[in-house]
């Protein structure tokens, strides 16, 4: 499984065709799925470009992606979009159009409560476990661990020479992951080394403009679809070795 992460915190100023509006996200997602992506992850934005968990922002994005992409659709619930845990719960409780899954970062305050609410509403939970945080330990102790959709192992080490070692360390911290599947990915300079490791280990991964602006050869990626094409090739080559 290769998920496409469409935009994240990127903006047009990053020098790539970063999709921001529902229409842009839907078009980019459809192209990425045509290239082989099997799931879509997005960060909904207000018209002024700010990330938001508001129902008025999340709903149109989910609807547009679901209509055009035809694969499971997920969104972030990151604290940067709504720092107050209680307010974050209210935002998610107000959603009238539900995504198929949502990422919950386990090192953030209120993660268990947010995950419980999402599960109660029938939304799958990706347990985001970041390297360099207490996320793995908190997830290991969570009674909700066996109920999550998967573990999203996020390697925050962006040094290409050390990211793979950091990924091994993170996977060791996560351990049996309550028996749930693991999706392993890196970011920026660590993206491609970690994706290749995921291929060798037979783990799911993700790729897209949220994680990197560069193709494996260092060229600028013009769109998410080309990153997916390259990601599938790199992942598959490692898996077939």
């Amino acid at each position: 499984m290769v998920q496409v992460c469409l935009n994240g915190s990127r903006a047009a100023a990053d020098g790539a065709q970063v999709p921001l509006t529902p229409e842009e996200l839907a078009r980019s997602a459809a192209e990425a799925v045509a290239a082989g992506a099997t799931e879509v992850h997005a960060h909904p934005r207000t018209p002024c470009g700010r990330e938001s968990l508001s129902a008025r922002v999340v709903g149109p994005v989910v609807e547009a992606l679901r209509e055009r992409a035809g694969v499971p659709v997920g969104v972030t619930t990151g604290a940067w979009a709504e720092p107050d845990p209680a307010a974050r719960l209210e935002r998610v409780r107000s959603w009238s159009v539900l995504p198929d899954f949502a990422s919950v970062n386990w090192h953030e305050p209120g993660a268990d409560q947010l995950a419980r609410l999402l599960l109660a509403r029938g939304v799958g939970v990706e347990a985001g476990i970041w390297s360099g945080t207490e996320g793995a330990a908190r997830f290991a102790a969570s009674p909700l661990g066996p109920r999550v959709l998967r573990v999203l192992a996020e390697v925050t080490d962006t040094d290409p020479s050390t990211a793979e070692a950091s990924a091994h360390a993170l996977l060791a911290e996560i351990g049996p992951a309550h028996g749930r599947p693991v999706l392993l990915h890196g970011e920026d300079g660590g993206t491609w080394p970690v994706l290749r490791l995921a291929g060798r280990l037979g783990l799911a991964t993700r790729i897209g403009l949220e994680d990197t602006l560069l193709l494996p050869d260092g060229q600028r990626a013009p769109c998410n679809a080309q990153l997916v094409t390259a990601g599938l090739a790199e992942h598959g080559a490692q898996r077939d070795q």
Side-chain angles (χ1 to χ4, degrees), residues 10-53:
R10 308 285 187 187
D14 288 304
Q17 294 182 359
V18 180
L20 301 176
T21 69
E23 295 75 17
E24 291 169 349
L25 287 164
R27 181 170 59 252
S28 185
E31 293 169 353
V33 169
T38 53
E39 285 189 355
V40 174
H41 169 78
H43 290 214
R45 307 286 190 91
T46 65
C48 65
R50 186 178 65 83
E51 292 189 47
S52 174
L53 302 183

Side-chain angles (χ1 to χ4, degrees), residues 129-193:
I129 311 299
W130 292 22
S131 61
T133 72
E134 297 179 352
R138 292 180 181 179
F139 180 70
S142 173
L144 300 179
R147 298 176 57 193
V148 304
L149 176 66
R150 70 175 68 92
V151 171
L152 187 65
E154 307 201 28
V155 180
T156 59
D157 182 354
T158 60
D159 185 335
S161 67
T162 58
E164 183 177 324
S166 295
H168 279 293
L170 176 60
L171 292 172
E173 282 187 68
I174 291 171
H178 292 287
R180 307 311 301 145
V182 174
L183 185 159
L184 176 67
H185 77 98
E187 58 186 43
D188 292 322
T191 299
W192 294 109

Side-chain angles (χ1 to χ4, degrees), residues 5 100 129 143 187 198 209 236:
C5 46
D100 298 292
I129 311 299
E187 58 186 43
L209 292 171

